[in-house]
Amino acid sequence: MSAPTPEADGIVTITPTENGPYEVVGQVRIISPDGTVLRETGKAYLCRCGHSANKPFCDSSHRREGWSEASDSEDSAE
């Protein structure tokens, strides 16, 4: 028998991808500051570089901007 998936057991996992967005797996509702439901989904990719034109979702701007985990850590240390 295989291990239960996050979707099946109700657990939501948030994993930072290597030099990319947060991967959110599990049934989630993403809501804007004004309360509008932006998306209800079992998987989403959320921006963590700050460059997305479609925040809070990733639009792959991190690639164009050359963002990486290392560059983000260096900025935080200043």
Side-chain angles (χ1 to χ4, degrees):
M1 178 181 258
S2 63
T5 63
E7 298 88 352
D9 63 14
I11 294 173
V12 174
T13 58
I14 302 172
T15 308
T17 62
E18 185 176 347
N19 296 321
Y22 290 110
E23 178 186 55
V24 181
V25 178
Q27 198 56 41
V28 296
R29 180 178 296 135
I30 301 169
I31 302 172
S32 71
D34 70 3
T36 303
V37 175
L38 300 175
R39 188 174 298 168
E40 291 187 25
T41 185
K43 184 181 267 191
Y45 292 90
L46 302 180
C47 177
R48 68 179 177 132
C49 75
H51 296 287
S52 177
N54 191 30
K55 290 178 189 143
F57 304 104
C58 177
D59 68 0
S60 298
S61 292
H62 58 278
R63 292 181 189 148
R64 181 186 69 244
E65 297 295 328
W67 182 87
S68 70
E69 294 168 4
S71 64
D72 192 44
S73 295
E74 291 166 7
D75 291 343
S76 298
E78 294 177 3

